Each structure stands twice: as structure tokens, then as C-alpha cells.
Amino acid sequence: MAPHQRVLLPFPLVFLLLLLLVVPPRADAWGKEGHIMVCKIAEKYLSEKAAAAVQALLPESAGGELSTVCPWADTVRWHYHWASPLHYVNTPQVCNFKYSRDCHNSRGQQGMCVVGAINNYTDQLYSYGQKTSYNLTESLMFLAHFVGDVHQPLHVGFEDDEGGNTITVHWYRRKANLHHVWDVSIIDTAIKDFYNKSMDTMVETLKMNLTDGWSDDITHWENCENKHATCANDYAIESIHYSCNYAYKDVEQGITLGDDYFFTRYPIVEKRLAQAGIRLALILNRIFDGDKADDIPLRVQ
């Protein structure tokens, strides 16, 4: 085709492309920064054996850093349509999570939610070092992403409002929806106001809190009765609790959320990012370091 030649698109396709340009995408996960921060924390708590396995599985484009690929699952949503429901789970307007009731997609297929996905990709990664038909590089990237997702409170929200996606609010002066506030806005505001617009500075602060202020909590965060798989079910129960008691609380359609909301909710966001990083490291250490991982407390490497 000559360089100057134009391709005429059929009308419906032209309309669809224009629609994609003017309609904001539905908020579906921690923003890119949130996922990167979760994985930067996790990287520091990987055992030597787990770190080596992660390095072996990472694509060359990752540059040897797990955090580089942690937003990946959001970038392939148009390609992997089936994966969309794996980023979240909704409850029927109740402040509790039950796997048998809630973990399914819109067609009722069981296990098609963020909790089922974490357990599934964990199970796939246990075949590392064996002959397998799984793409373990993708399994790792999905797992790292979904562990972050399940810790975002509104990824375990109410079905009627799609985890806060249909609740229109103003974040200070900017129009948003409640889900986007928790995915992106709270983190962006913190980075701008507290960390001189530096995500890396925020990450370093979270790491310092893990070795200082939260040091007594890490053992509790590590607790997991399911020694082979994960405790994703417990993490979802935590998230619906935070959704009800913090994310949804005192929020109604059209409300303006400002300093009062930010200063009382930001500590929850900070804590969930740190917990997600610690627990991702715990899962990966168990997968790649076997039973020894349960006998050795998580330590910064």
C-alpha cells in the first residue's frame, strides 16, 4: 500500500474507535503505580531461591525486575477478554465475602474471580521445574497483579455499583468515580503532597515502615492456614471489611471528597499496598522454596 493511501474503516468500527477516545475506561485495578509499588516491596522479601526462579521466568523486557511487569495484566484486557472478571469479586450488597456465593463470572462459572485466579496461578507455578503446558511467565505476571488487586478494598465491593465504578464523585475539584479514587487518586495525591511527586520515595517510606512501624504486624500478615496454596480468601474478607467501613462509608452519588476523606483513608491504602507486597513474597517463597519458606520469617534481602 502506498504511504499516502488511506484505509477507509466501516462506519461501526469508526464509531467504536471514536467512542473509545471519548469514553473514559472503567477503573479496574490499582493504577500502574500501585501495582509497581506492591511488587517493589515483594522483591525485597523474596528468598534467594524464589528470586532466582522469578528471574528465570521474567520476560526479557522486564529488565530483571518483577515490578516492571506487575501492571501487565491490565494492558492485555482487550486481548484476554476472559480475564476481565479475574481482577475483582463482588458481593450482593453485603459486608462479607463467601467464595461459593461470590466467586464467579457473569455467566455463573465458579472460580472466575480474583480469589480463584490467585489460587489457580499459584497452583500453576507449583509445576515450575517440571514438564508443563502452562505458560509460567504469564502465570507469574497474572499472580503478581492479582495479589495486588485483591488488596484494593473496592476490588471486593458491591455488585450493584460494580465496586464503586458507578458512584460518581468529585475528588477535590476533579470528577471521578469512587473506584478510581481508590485505584489511583488517593495514591497520586499522596505522591504529590507527601513525596515530592516521587513514587520511589513513597516506596522507600513503605519499606521503612515495614522494618519499623509495622514490624510487629508482619508476622500476623504472614499467617496463612493454607500452606500449599494461598490465603486469598482471607484477603478478600479483609477487603470487603475495608470497603464497608472506609471506602463506601459516608459516600453518596455526586459527593465531593476532600481532605477529610483523604487523610482518614490514605493510611488504609498505604497498609494494603504493604500487605500485598509482603503476601506476594510469601506466596512466591512458598512456591519456589518449598516447606522451608514456612520455617523462615520474611526478611529484607
Coordinates of all heavy atoms in Angstrom, one line a residue, residues 57-108:
L57 N 11.9 -16.7 35.1 CA 10.6 -16.7 34.5 C 10.2 -15.3 33.8 O 9.4 -15.2 32.9 CB 9.5 -17.0 35.5 CG 9.4 -18.5 35.9 CD1 8.3 -18.6 37.0 CD2 9.0 -19.4 34.7
L58 N 10.9 -14.2 34.3 CA 10.5 -12.9 33.8 C 10.9 -12.8 32.3 O 11.9 -13.3 31.8 CB 11.3 -11.8 34.6 CG 10.9 -11.5 36.0 CD1 11.8 -10.5 36.6 CD2 9.4 -10.9 36.0
P59 N 10.0 -12.1 31.5 CA 10.4 -11.9 30.1 C 11.6 -10.9 30.0 O 11.9 -10.2 31.0 CB 9.1 -11.2 29.6 CG 8.5 -10.6 30.8 CD 8.8 -11.5 31.9
E60 N 12.3 -11.0 28.9 CA 13.5 -10.2 28.7 C 13.1 -8.7 28.9 O 13.9 -7.9 29.4 CB 14.1 -10.5 27.4 CG 15.4 -9.8 27.1 CD 16.0 -10.2 25.8 OE1 15.6 -11.2 25.2 OE2 16.9 -9.4 25.4
S61 N 11.9 -8.3 28.5 CA 11.5 -6.9 28.5 C 11.4 -6.4 30.0 O 11.4 -5.1 30.2 CB 10.2 -6.7 27.8 OG 9.2 -7.5 28.5
A62 N 11.4 -7.3 30.9 CA 11.3 -6.8 32.3 C 12.6 -6.2 32.9 O 12.5 -5.6 33.9 CB 10.8 -8.0 33.2
G63 N 13.7 -6.5 32.2 CA 14.9 -5.9 32.7 C 15.3 -6.5 34.0 O 16.0 -5.8 34.8
G64 N 14.9 -7.7 34.4 CA 15.2 -8.3 35.6 C 14.4 -7.9 36.8 O 14.8 -8.3 38.0
E65 N 13.4 -7.1 36.6 CA 12.6 -6.5 37.8 C 11.2 -7.0 37.7 O 10.5 -6.7 36.7 CB 12.7 -5.0 37.8 CG 14.1 -4.5 38.1 CD 14.1 -3.0 38.3 OE1 13.0 -2.4 38.5 OE2 15.1 -2.3 38.2
L66 N 10.7 -7.7 38.7 CA 9.3 -8.1 38.7 C 8.4 -6.9 38.6 O 7.3 -7.0 38.0 CB 9.1 -8.9 40.0 CG 7.6 -9.4 40.3 CD1 7.2 -10.4 39.2 CD2 7.5 -10.0 41.7
S67 N 8.7 -5.8 39.3 CA 7.8 -4.7 39.3 C 7.5 -4.1 37.9 O 6.4 -3.5 37.7 CB 8.4 -3.6 40.2 OG 9.7 -3.2 39.7
T68 N 8.4 -4.4 37.0 CA 8.2 -3.9 35.6 C 7.0 -4.5 35.0 O 6.3 -3.8 34.2 CB 9.4 -4.1 34.8 OG1 10.6 -3.5 35.4 CG2 9.3 -3.5 33.4
V69 N 6.7 -5.7 35.3 CA 5.6 -6.5 34.6 C 4.3 -6.6 35.5 O 3.3 -7.1 35.0 CB 6.1 -7.9 34.2 CG1 7.2 -7.8 33.3 CG2 6.4 -8.7 35.4
C70 N 4.3 -6.0 36.7 CA 3.2 -6.1 37.5 C 1.9 -5.4 37.0 O 0.8 -5.9 37.3 CB 3.5 -5.7 38.9 SG 4.5 -6.9 39.8
P71 N 2.0 -4.3 36.2 CA 0.8 -3.8 35.6 C 0.4 -4.5 34.3 O -0.7 -4.2 33.8 CB 1.2 -2.3 35.2 CG 2.5 -2.1 36.0 CD 3.2 -3.4 36.1
W72 N 1.1 -5.5 33.9 CA 0.9 -6.2 32.6 C -0.5 -6.7 32.4 O -1.1 -6.5 31.4 CB 1.9 -7.4 32.5 CG 1.6 -8.3 31.3 CD1 1.9 -8.1 30.0 CD2 0.9 -9.5 31.3 NE1 1.5 -9.1 29.2 CE2 0.9 -10.0 30.0 CE3 0.3 -10.3 32.3 CZ2 0.3 -11.2 29.7 CZ3 -0.3 -11.5 32.0 CH2 -0.3 -11.9 30.7
A73 N -1.1 -7.3 33.5 CA -2.5 -7.9 33.3 C -3.5 -6.9 32.9 O -4.5 -7.2 32.3 CB -2.9 -8.6 34.6
D74 N -3.3 -5.6 33.3 CA -4.2 -4.6 32.8 C -4.1 -4.2 31.4 O -5.0 -3.7 30.7 CB -4.1 -3.3 33.7 CG -4.7 -3.4 35.0 OD1 -5.7 -4.2 35.2 OD2 -4.3 -2.7 36.0
T75 N -2.9 -4.4 30.8 CA -2.6 -4.0 29.5 C -3.1 -5.0 28.5 O -3.1 -4.7 27.3 CB -1.1 -3.8 29.3 OG1 -0.4 -5.0 29.3 CG2 -0.5 -2.8 30.3
V76 N -3.4 -6.2 28.9 CA -3.9 -7.3 28.0 C -5.3 -7.6 28.1 O -5.8 -8.6 27.6 CB -3.0 -8.6 28.2 CG1 -1.6 -8.3 27.8 CG2 -3.2 -9.1 29.6
R77 N -6.1 -6.7 28.7 CA -7.5 -6.9 28.9 C -8.3 -7.0 27.6 O -9.2 -7.8 27.5 CB -8.1 -5.8 29.8 CG -7.5 -5.8 31.2 CD -8.0 -4.6 32.0 NE -9.4 -4.8 32.3 CZ -9.9 -5.4 33.4 NH1 -9.0 -5.9 34.3 NH2 -11.2 -5.5 33.7
W78 N -7.9 -6.3 26.6 CA -8.6 -6.3 25.3 C -8.2 -7.6 24.6 O -9.0 -8.1 23.8 CB -8.2 -5.1 24.4 CG -8.8 -3.9 25.0 CD1 -8.1 -2.9 25.6 CD2 -10.2 -3.4 24.9 NE1 -9.0 -1.9 26.0 CE2 -10.3 -2.2 25.5 CE3 -11.3 -4.0 24.4 CZ2 -11.4 -1.5 25.7 CZ3 -12.5 -3.3 24.5 CH2 -12.6 -2.1 25.2
H79 N -7.1 -8.2 24.9 CA -6.6 -9.4 24.2 C -7.2 -10.6 24.9 O -7.6 -11.6 24.3 CB -5.1 -9.4 24.2 CG -4.5 -10.6 23.5 ND1 -4.8 -11.0 22.2 CD2 -3.6 -11.6 23.9 CE1 -4.2 -12.1 21.9 NE2 -3.5 -12.5 22.9
Y80 N -7.1 -10.6 26.2 CA -7.6 -11.7 27.0 C -9.0 -11.3 27.7 O -9.0 -11.0 28.9 CB -6.6 -12.1 28.1 CG -5.3 -12.6 27.7 CD1 -4.2 -12.6 28.4 CD2 -5.2 -13.2 26.4 CE1 -2.9 -13.1 28.0 CE2 -4.0 -13.8 26.0 CZ -2.9 -13.7 26.8 OH -1.7 -14.2 26.4
H81 N -10.0 -11.3 26.9 CA -11.3 -10.9 27.4 C -11.8 -11.8 28.6 O -12.4 -11.3 29.5 CB -12.4 -11.0 26.3 CG -12.1 -10.1 25.1 ND1 -12.4 -8.7 25.2 CD2 -11.6 -10.3 23.9 CE1 -12.1 -8.1 24.0 NE2 -11.6 -9.1 23.2
W82 N -11.4 -13.0 28.5 CA -11.9 -14.0 29.6 C -11.3 -13.6 31.0 O -11.8 -14.0 32.0 CB -11.4 -15.4 29.2 CG -10.0 -15.5 28.9 CD1 -9.4 -15.4 27.7 CD2 -8.9 -15.7 29.8 NE1 -8.0 -15.5 27.8 CE2 -7.7 -15.7 29.1 CE3 -8.8 -15.8 31.2 CZ2 -6.4 -15.8 29.7 CZ3 -7.6 -15.9 31.8 CH2 -6.4 -16.0 31.0
A83 N -10.2 -12.8 31.0 CA -9.5 -12.5 32.2 C -10.2 -11.3 32.9 O -9.8 -11.1 34.1 CB -8.1 -12.2 32.0
S84 N -11.1 -10.6 32.3 CA -11.6 -9.4 33.0 C -12.2 -9.6 34.3 O -11.9 -8.9 35.3 CB -12.7 -8.7 32.0 OG -12.1 -8.1 30.9
P85 N -13.0 -10.7 34.5 CA -13.6 -10.9 35.9 C -12.6 -11.4 36.9 O -12.9 -11.4 38.1 CB -14.7 -11.9 35.6 CG -14.3 -12.7 34.4 CD -13.6 -11.6 33.5
L86 N -11.4 -11.7 36.5 CA -10.4 -12.2 37.4 C -9.7 -11.1 38.2 O -9.0 -11.3 39.2 CB -9.3 -12.9 36.7 CG -9.7 -14.1 35.8 CD1 -8.6 -14.8 35.2 CD2 -10.6 -15.1 36.6
H87 N -10.0 -9.8 37.9 CA -9.4 -8.7 38.6 C -10.2 -8.3 39.9 O -9.7 -7.5 40.7 CB -9.4 -7.5 37.7 CG -8.4 -7.6 36.6 ND1 -7.2 -7.0 36.5 CD2 -8.5 -8.3 35.4 CE1 -6.6 -7.3 35.4 NE2 -7.4 -8.1 34.7
Y88 N -11.4 -8.9 40.1 CA -12.2 -8.4 41.2 C -13.2 -9.5 41.7 O -13.3 -10.6 41.0 CB -13.0 -7.2 40.8 CG -14.0 -7.5 39.7 CD1 -15.3 -7.9 39.9 CD2 -13.6 -7.3 38.4 CE1 -16.1 -8.1 38.9 CE2 -14.4 -7.6 37.3 CZ -15.7 -8.0 37.6 OH -16.6 -8.2 36.5
V89 N -14.0 -9.3 42.7 CA -15.1 -10.1 43.1 C -16.1 -9.2 43.8 O -15.7 -8.3 44.5 CB -14.7 -11.3 44.0 CG1 -14.1 -10.8 45.3 CG2 -15.9 -12.2 44.3
N90 N -17.4 -9.4 43.5 CA -18.4 -8.5 44.1 C -19.3 -9.3 45.0 O -19.5 -10.6 44.8 CB -19.3 -7.9 43.0 CG -18.5 -6.9 42.2 OD1 -17.7 -6.1 42.7 ND2 -18.8 -6.8 40.9
T91 N -19.9 -8.7 46.0 CA -20.8 -9.3 46.9 C -22.2 -8.7 46.6 O -22.3 -7.6 46.1 CB -20.5 -9.1 48.4 OG1 -20.8 -7.8 48.8 CG2 -19.0 -9.3 48.6
P92 N -23.3 -9.4 47.0 CA -24.6 -8.9 46.8 C -25.0 -7.9 47.9 O -25.9 -8.1 48.7 CB -25.5 -10.1 46.9 CG -24.8 -11.1 47.8 CD -23.3 -10.8 47.5
Q93 N -24.3 -6.7 47.9 CA -24.6 -5.7 48.8 C -24.5 -6.1 50.3 O -25.2 -5.5 51.2 CB -26.1 -5.1 48.6 CG -26.3 -4.6 47.2 CD -25.5 -3.4 46.9 OE1 -24.6 -3.5 46.1 NE2 -25.7 -2.3 47.6
V94 N -23.6 -7.0 50.6 CA -23.4 -7.4 52.0 C -21.9 -7.3 52.3 O -21.0 -7.3 51.4 CB -23.8 -8.9 52.2 CG1 -25.3 -9.0 52.1 CG2 -23.1 -9.9 51.3
C95 N -21.6 -7.1 53.6 CA -20.2 -6.8 54.0 C -19.5 -8.0 54.4 O -18.8 -8.1 55.4 CB -20.2 -5.7 55.2 SG -20.8 -4.1 54.6
N96 N -19.7 -9.1 53.7 CA -18.9 -10.3 53.9 C -18.7 -11.0 52.6 O -19.5 -10.8 51.6 CB -19.7 -11.3 54.9 CG -21.0 -11.7 54.4 OD1 -21.2 -12.5 53.5 ND2 -22.1 -11.1 55.1
F97 N -17.7 -11.8 52.5 CA -17.3 -12.5 51.3 C -17.4 -14.0 51.5 O -16.9 -14.5 52.5 CB -15.9 -12.2 50.8 CG -15.4 -13.1 49.8 CD1 -15.8 -13.0 48.5 CD2 -14.4 -14.1 50.1 CE1 -15.3 -13.9 47.5 CE2 -13.9 -14.9 49.1 CZ -14.4 -14.8 47.8
K98 N -18.1 -14.7 50.6 CA -18.2 -16.1 50.6 C -17.9 -16.6 49.2 O -18.5 -16.3 48.2 CB -19.6 -16.6 51.0 CG -20.0 -16.2 52.4 CD -21.4 -16.8 52.8 CE -21.8 -16.4 54.2 NZ -23.2 -16.9 54.5
Y99 N -16.8 -17.5 49.2 CA -16.3 -17.9 47.9 C -17.4 -18.6 47.1 O -17.6 -18.3 45.9 CB -15.2 -18.9 48.1 CG -14.5 -19.3 46.8 CD1 -13.4 -18.6 46.4 CD2 -14.9 -20.5 46.1 CE1 -12.7 -19.0 45.2 CE2 -14.3 -20.9 45.0 CZ -13.2 -20.1 44.5 OH -12.5 -20.5 43.4
S100 N -18.2 -19.5 47.7 CA -19.2 -20.3 46.9 C -20.3 -19.4 46.3 O -20.9 -19.7 45.3 CB -19.8 -21.4 47.8 OG -20.4 -20.8 48.9
R101 N -20.6 -18.3 47.0 CA -21.6 -17.4 46.6 C -21.1 -16.3 45.6 O -21.8 -16.0 44.7 CB -22.2 -16.7 47.8 CG -23.3 -15.7 47.5 CD -23.6 -14.9 48.8 NE -22.5 -14.0 49.1 CZ -22.3 -13.5 50.3 NH1 -23.1 -13.7 51.3 NH2 -21.3 -12.7 50.5
D102 N -19.9 -15.9 45.8 CA -19.5 -14.7 45.1 C -18.4 -14.9 44.0 O -18.3 -14.0 43.1 CB -18.9 -13.7 46.2 CG -19.8 -13.3 47.3 OD1 -21.0 -13.2 47.0 OD2 -19.4 -13.2 48.4
C103 N -17.7 -16.0 44.1 CA -16.6 -16.1 43.1 C -17.0 -16.8 41.8 O -17.0 -18.0 41.7 CB -15.4 -16.9 43.7 SG -13.9 -16.9 42.7
H104 N -17.5 -16.0 40.9 CA -18.0 -16.5 39.6 C -18.0 -15.3 38.6 O -18.0 -14.1 39.0 CB -19.4 -17.1 39.7 CG -20.4 -16.1 40.3 ND1 -21.0 -15.1 39.6 CD2 -20.9 -16.0 41.6 CE1 -21.8 -14.4 40.4 NE2 -21.8 -15.0 41.6
N105 N -18.1 -15.6 37.3 CA -18.2 -14.5 36.4 C -19.7 -14.3 36.0 O -20.6 -14.9 36.7 CB -17.4 -14.8 35.1 CG -17.9 -16.1 34.4 OD1 -19.0 -16.6 34.7 ND2 -17.1 -16.6 33.5
S106 N -20.0 -13.4 35.1 CA -21.3 -13.1 34.8 C -22.2 -14.2 34.2 O -23.4 -14.2 34.2 CB -21.4 -11.9 33.8 OG -20.7 -12.3 32.5
R107 N -21.5 -15.3 33.8 CA -22.1 -16.5 33.3 C -22.3 -17.6 34.3 O -22.7 -18.7 34.1 CB -21.4 -17.1 32.0 CG -21.4 -16.1 30.8 CD -20.9 -16.8 29.6 NE -19.5 -17.3 29.8 CZ -18.5 -16.5 29.6 NH1 -18.6 -15.2 29.2 NH2 -17.2 -17.0 29.7
G108 N -21.9 -17.2 35.5 CA -22.0 -18.2 36.6 C -20.9 -19.2 36.8 O -21.0 -20.1 37.6

